[in-house]
Amino acid sequence: MDMSATVVIGTQWGDEGKGKIVDYLAERADVVVRYQGGNNAGHTVVVGDQEFKLHLLPSGILYNGKTCVIGNGVVVDPKVMLEEIKSMQAKGIDTSSLKLSNRAHLIMPYHRLLDEVEETSRGDFKIGTTKRGIGPCYMDKNARSGIRVCDLLEPEEFKEKLARNLEAKNHLLKAVYNTDGFDFAEVLKEYQEYAEQLRPYVADTSAILHESIKAGQKVLFEGAQATLLDLDHGTFPYVTSSHPIAGGACIGAGVGPSKISKVVGVVKAYTTRVGEGPFPTELHDATGDLIREEGHEYGTTTGRPRRCGWLDACIIRYAGYVSGIDYMAITRLDILDKLPMVKVCVAYKYNGKIINEFPASLNVLSRVEPVYEELPGWQQPTSHIRSYEDLPLNARRYVERLSEVSGIAIGLVSVGPGREQTMILA
Ligand code: GTP
């Protein structure tokens, strides 16, 4: 796999296992970059018998000596970032190669509170935010009132921007949500302390990446969330506030599209969705329950059961062209080991006709009828298998059929959380 500048993205609604794939590819990279989202992402990486939960730091942090970049497109909660650095250091991880973009926007205490009160006020129309202030922080960035990391390092600039923002937010909180706001001196003191702790990490990360690519280093861009959660291309409004598709890497890291050499799309061998919104291949039966139990498909923070369904090749095809995916990394194939048969949705029917595009309208998406192909299951364990040829024939047929229908090559197949449970095909 040519790795000179590779973007890894999720193709479905998230929780595909990007953490494991990024970790696997990070081993061969020199630089690992986060380019969007914030601490609403949650990768789980298993190294030997240790489990690491990463929210903000790039997965490359788990390998010593890799430059790890938090790009300008990420929104950064300094408190969370510093806590994560400390927790990694406590586990013996070296964080000295971490770089934080001076152009990244800061999550402030009022962003977290606004996230909560706004979501509560939506009543039955909740978006399903993680209430960590991500959405309100991106709103301020777009409104051009946000505060950036470079401002934090300039005391007078920060004071002035904090005063202006706090006045507006405290007014909004009181007038609209009848909620008390924040004390200027307290927030200032808290963030002044963060400034000194973060200072050693702050850099012009776009310039660093430019030099790395020029020097022939291998750069890995690590997407968080997934295609159907993209602000423009996802199932709006049940989306995130940033751009998890591959193009987001260019904006969120400050790298030109001509420098991206490969795009890898992570595909879970079935589909899950958290929260509300249409889900054409959703299963409301014993098979759905079996997938949920075998795959422990419960929210990591909320413990809420995830909605489970058959693999939907219409989604993968769509993800394929909005991100220009070169290879699929298929994860969690082992979760389907016990099923006597498996289904792939190969097309949607709407009003009796096959439709080729993934619908923009959620009304249409909620009414499409999946056209399934049924394939025989393999009904034998796969987690111990280390080479693609050794996979049961029916398991290979399943992933190869997905590749045919979606028009995307298979690059990697994963049959367990461990680094060694990964087979490379391309
Ligand atoms: P988001 O960024 O929140 O979408 O998460 P993610 O896509 O990084 O998923 P995450 O890594 O949090 O969760 C996936 C879970 O599946 C983790 O516990 C992984 O260790 C595990 N996992 C990854 N690949 C496989 C696999 O092939 N088989 C099994 N059984 N588990 C896997």
Side-chain angles (χ1 to χ4, degrees), residues 14-20 42-44 331-332 334-335 414-417:
D15 308 311
E16 293 95 351
K18 292 180 295 296
K20 169 184 164 161
H43 293 320
T44 314
T331 61
R332 302 188 137 245
D334 53 302
I335 301 302
S414 163
V415 288

Side-chain angles (χ1 to χ4, degrees), residues 97-145:
S97 61
L98 184 63
K99 309 282 177 207
L100 168 64
S101 169
N102 49 9
R103 291 181 171 86
H105 277 248
L106 291 171
I107 295 179
M108 305 297 293
Y110 46 80
H111 290 137
R112 288 194 297 262
L113 184 57
L114 279 166
D115 211 357
E116 197 176 324
V117 293
E118 280 169 358
E119 182 77 342
T120 307
S121 76
R122 287 185 188 112
D124 289 344
F125 298 96
K126 289 196 179 16
I127 296 173
T129 111
T130 51
K131 301 182 186 166
R132 299 199 174 129
I134 317 281
C137 184
Y138 277 115
M139 278 168 75
D140 279 358
K141 175 177 177 173
N142 281 289
R144 289 157 289 176
S145 59

Side-chain angles (χ1 to χ4, degrees), residues 11-13 228 235 266-273 278-282 308-320 328 336 343-349 355-359 365 368-373 398 401-403 405-406 408:
T11 55
Q12 295 147 314
W13 275 292
L228 294 184
T235 41
V266 184
V267 178
K268 177 145 70 175
Y270 49 93
T271 315
T272 57
R273 180 164 195 182
F279 178 176
T281 62
E282 183 168 11
C308 297
W310 293 120
L311 183 59
D312 186 341
C314 300
I315 292 175
I316 311 305
R317 203 185 299 132
Y318 174 64
M328 288 189 283
L336 305 181
K343 286 187 185 181
V344 185
C345 166
V346 296
Y348 292 152
K349 248 188 194 171
I355 52 169
N356 289 316
E357 288 89 27
F358 187 76
L365 189 64
V368 296
E369 194 189 314
V371 179
Y372 286 116
E373 273 183 23
Y398 178 64
R401 186 65 189 134
L402 170 67
S403 172
V405 177
S406 61
I408 310 170

Side-chain angles (χ1 to χ4, degrees), residues 160-216:
E160 190 260 317
K161 286 196 167 151
L162 177 65
R164 223 171 338 128
N165 273 281
L166 216 52
E167 193 188 338
K169 299 301 191 248
N170 281 350
H171 174 73
L172 175 71
L173 282 163
K174 194 78 214 162
V176 179
Y177 301 105
N178 195 25
T179 301
D180 288 336
F182 295 87
D183 178 65
F184 173 75
E186 263 176 40
V187 180
L188 181 66
K189 185 165 174 287
E190 184 186 342
Y191 275 70
Q192 274 169 340
E193 280 165 22
Y194 297 149
E196 289 328 302
Q197 295 176 62
L198 285 178
R199 194 180 290 276
Y201 300 105
V202 179
D204 185 330
T205 51
S206 174
I208 291 176
L209 292 173
H210 172 65
E211 291 305 326
S212 304
I213 293 171
K214 211 165 70 177

Side-chain angles (χ1 to χ4, degrees), residues 204-341:
D204 185 330
T205 51
S206 174
I208 291 176
L209 292 173
H210 172 65
E211 291 305 326
S212 304
I213 293 171
K214 211 165 70 177
Q217 290 197 321
K218 293 184 168 65
V219 182
L220 185 67
F221 298 89
E222 162 179 357
Q225 291 92 35
T227 305
L228 294 184
L229 299 173
D230 185 276
L231 183 58
D232 275 65
H233 301 283
T235 41
F236 190 90
Y238 304 106
V239 292
T240 197
S241 307
S242 63
H243 294 290
I245 63 160
C250 294
I251 298 168
V255 170
S258 60
K259 302 295 176 211
I260 305 291
S261 47
K262 278 284 166 296
V263 179
V264 176
V266 184
V267 178
K268 177 145 70 175
Y270 49 93
T271 315
T272 57
R273 180 164 195 182
V274 173
E276 301 305 308
F279 178 176
T281 62
E282 183 168 11
L283 286 162
H284 298 280
D285 58 9
T287 306
D289 295 342
L290 183 84
I291 294 175
R292 187 176 305 106
E293 294 314 313
E294 290 292 313
H296 309 289
E297 293 291 356
Y298 292 89
T300 19
T301 39
T302 58
R304 268 202 302 170
R306 291 184 184 138
R307 299 159 71 192
C308 297
W310 293 120
L311 183 59
D312 186 341
C314 300
I315 292 175
I316 311 305
R317 203 185 299 132
Y318 174 64
Y321 65 75
V322 294
S323 281
I325 297 174
D326 297 293
Y327 294 109
M328 288 189 283
I330 300 172
T331 61
R332 302 188 137 245
L333 190 64
D334 53 302
I335 301 302
L336 305 181
D337 284 353
K338 291 187 181 156
L339 295 177
M341 63 87 189

